[in-house]
Amino acid sequence: MSSVADNLARVRERVAKACASAGRPESSVTLVAVSKLKPAALIREAYAAGQRDFGENYAQELRDKAEELKDLDGLRWHAIGSLQTNKVKYVARVAHAFHALERMDVATELSKRRTGSPPLPCYVELNLGGEDTKHGLTPDALGGFLSQVRELPNLQVVGLMALPPPTDDVARMREGFARLRELAATHALTALSMGTTHDFEQAILEGATAVRVGTAIFGERA
């Protein structure tokens, strides 16, 4: 097997163990392989090893890779980065899900552009730690935002996404993920996009339904 296939097998094993520890079926977690800034050839390797869900941060890169890899049947693209309105058309056209919804103008444009396809599943991004370097709504703004987005056609808000403040303290990791889970439950949302290479096992223990893993599969980015 290639190194990508080897890495993917190890990550899947870790996902399975975390699910078992949480008393959940492995099928309850979608592993999104974050392929941003990685060549299409590595995506093909992961696809050959059975991976189908891939995450891209940049809309134009998503557009280009979707075209280059359109021969791969069943490949599902997840747009996971913040989005400008002039790039919405690329996500609306090819994404299986959007994990970073935080602005009404983007939501409105996505709704307008998402035609001829099933409604686009969206995760609303929250900034739980109030960090200036991160995107996302404050928890206090979530209710009003959801009310507006739920009125739009062609979009389906399925859950929440957040990158809690980085820490090596497992208890603090889980505290951030637990807070996102509680906010989702308060607003009748069932999906949670949370957890990266650094902390995805703890995210699964706190209810993650999608984890975004890049480095552990594809290696460090240049």
Side-chain angles (χ1 to χ4, degrees), residues 58-191:
Y58 307 113
Q60 287 167 295
E61 187 177 1
L62 170 60
R63 173 200 63 190
D64 295 344
K65 285 179 175 174
E67 176 63 24
E68 185 173 355
L69 298 169
K70 63 184 179 182
D71 58 302
L72 299 183
D73 187 50
L75 188 153
R76 294 180 290 270
W77 292 109
H78 296 250
I80 62 174
S82 61
L83 191 57
Q84 300 298 318
T85 52
N86 64 337
K87 307 289 177 56
V88 160
K89 57 189 176 184
Y90 306 131
V91 170
R93 192 174 300 149
V94 302
H96 171 74
F98 178 43
H99 292 241
L101 185 63
E102 56 161 343
R103 289 168 40 197
M104 246 347 270
D105 59 342
V106 169
T108 301
E109 191 69 12
L110 274 172
S111 174
K112 184 170 74 174
R113 297 275 188 172
R114 183 74 169 189
T115 58
S117 301
L120 179 65
C122 294
Y123 298 79
V124 175
E125 181 174 3
L126 295 184
N127 186 338
L128 295 179
E131 297 168 273
D132 293 338
T133 56
K134 287 182 180 174
H135 293 273
L137 299 170
T138 65
D140 288 344
L142 177 59
F145 185 75
L146 286 173
S147 296
Q148 293 181 72
V149 175
R150 283 168 168 160
E151 295 296 318
L152 296 173
N154 304 320
L155 302 183
Q156 180 186 11
V157 179
V158 296
L160 303 180
M161 185 277 268
L163 293 165
T167 178
D168 291 323
D169 184 322
V170 170
R172 287 188 62 199
M173 278 182 202
R174 293 190 62 169
E175 181 180 318
F177 295 138
R179 187 178 180 206
L180 193 69
R181 184 190 70 237
E182 290 159 3
L183 283 166
T186 297
H187 293 279
L189 297 168
T190 58

